[in-house]
Amino acid sequence: SKTNYQTRIEKQYDTLYTMVLSQTLDPDEDGVLSRFKSVLGCTLTLYEALCIDALNKMHLMCSQYCSSDSQNGDDITVILRSLGSLMSGVGSTSIPVRPLHASFRDFLLSRDRSDRFYISPADHHGNIVMASLRIMNDKLKFNICEIETSYWPNSAISNLDERIRKHISPELSYACRFIFRHLADHMRHCQIDDGILHDIHVLFLEKILFWLEVLS
């Protein structure tokens, strides 16, 4: 159980975060709070921090899947950059974005602590699954790194790292690695619908060899 000291420190954090978010976001403005939850829900539900560019693409896919009113590809950039005092990596397009302190994540994921700013991970797992599946089905292809011959092992390709950076985007890399490891975890928290089942069907019947190529 928490000590009185831990509880007191936690309440101080809660007061600070509530004040900063209220002043930064103007949660009473129409649509602002829902966009904030959509962006931070996507950001915090991922198993690995992504840069703003990759988050933009992932979030846009999530928004399209859940038929959100917020389908603006700039939402991630606008909202995260307004949270520069609470999140790291928001001033660059290539640095992974994550909370500056773990207590901010804990605050947002606790209904009792964050009140109207509360973010339920369960509300976003299904969106992450669908976004990842659609990114994979859209971007996976044969010989994705354009290697001259399939007879070469990875160790014989001198510029393989450069090819990977050029041809495998961070969001595709995330989807291939973490859907493989955490698909069941994501799906345990979401409702399985026909869209998810269709994309899983396409992935495993048509794209699985291309997926394995990226994993290698």
Side-chain angles (χ1 to χ4, degrees):
S1 61
K2 295 178 181 177
T3 66
N4 289 336
Y5 174 77
Q6 289 173 319
T7 300
R8 188 167 66 252
I9 293 299
E10 189 174 274
K11 288 182 177 179
Q12 290 175 351
Y13 275 127
D14 295 351
T15 300
L16 172 65
Y17 293 143
T18 299
M19 179 185 68
V20 172
L21 290 176
S22 297
Q23 293 178 349
T24 302
L25 296 172
D26 189 7
D28 294 324
E29 183 181 337
D30 186 42
V32 168
L33 199 56
S34 63
R35 290 198 298 274
F36 164 78
K37 291 185 177 185
S38 176
V39 169
L40 269 294
C42 175
T43 304
L44 298 180
T45 303
L46 295 170
Y47 286 98
E48 178 182 87
L50 296 177
C51 63
I52 281 185
D53 281 352
L55 280 171
N56 260 321
K57 293 167 186 174
M58 184 72 74
H59 178 250
L60 188 57
M61 283 285 190
C62 289
S63 299
Q64 291 172 346
Y65 168 58
C66 66
S67 300
S68 167
D69 292 335
S70 172
Q71 295 191 14
N72 184 351
D74 293 330
D75 273 349
I76 282 277
T77 303
V78 172
I79 289 179
L80 288 182
R81 286 187 173 167
S82 72
L83 300 176
S85 61
L86 301 172
M87 306 285 290
S88 66
V90 299
S92 169
T93 59
S94 58
I95 299 175
V97 175
R98 52 174 58 91
L100 282 169
H101 196 278
S103 61
F104 182 51
R105 177 188 179 91
D106 295 340
F107 165 78
L108 290 176
L109 300 184
S110 171
R111 187 189 301 274
D112 292 337
R113 295 177 59 187
S114 54
D115 193 23
R116 59 179 171 175
F117 296 111
Y118 169 66
I119 293 171
S120 170
D123 294 339
H124 300 277
H125 277 284
N127 300 340
I128 294 295
V129 169
M130 182 59 82
S132 297
L133 290 171
R134 289 186 173 176
I135 286 170
M136 292 170 71
N137 285 334
D138 181 55
K139 294 191 174 185
L140 286 174
K141 63 179 182 178
F142 175 71
N143 193 18
I144 192 168
C145 286
E146 299 181 359
I147 307 301
E148 286 76 4
T149 173
S150 58
Y151 291 100
W152 289 350
N154 287 349
S155 58
I157 305 170
S158 60
N159 62 341
L160 183 59
D161 289 344
E162 180 182 339
R163 289 175 185 259
I164 289 173
R165 286 193 296 270
K166 179 179 179 181
H167 297 289
I168 301 177
S169 64
E171 65 273 14
L172 177 59
S173 175
Y174 173 88
C176 288
R177 291 180 293 113
F178 283 84
I179 284 298
F180 179 76
R181 294 168 57 183
H182 298 293
L183 179 60
D185 290 338
H186 276 304
M187 293 182 72
R188 233 188 2 251
H189 296 283
C190 70
Q191 181 177 358
I192 309 302
D193 60 20
D194 290 341
I196 288 179
L197 292 177
H198 174 267
D199 279 356
I200 290 175
H201 180 83
V202 171
L203 177 63
F204 279 92
L205 285 187
E206 301 178 15
K207 304 281 188 171
I208 189 166
L209 293 181
F210 307 154
W211 182 14
L212 293 176
E213 182 182 355
V214 171
L215 289 177
S216 74

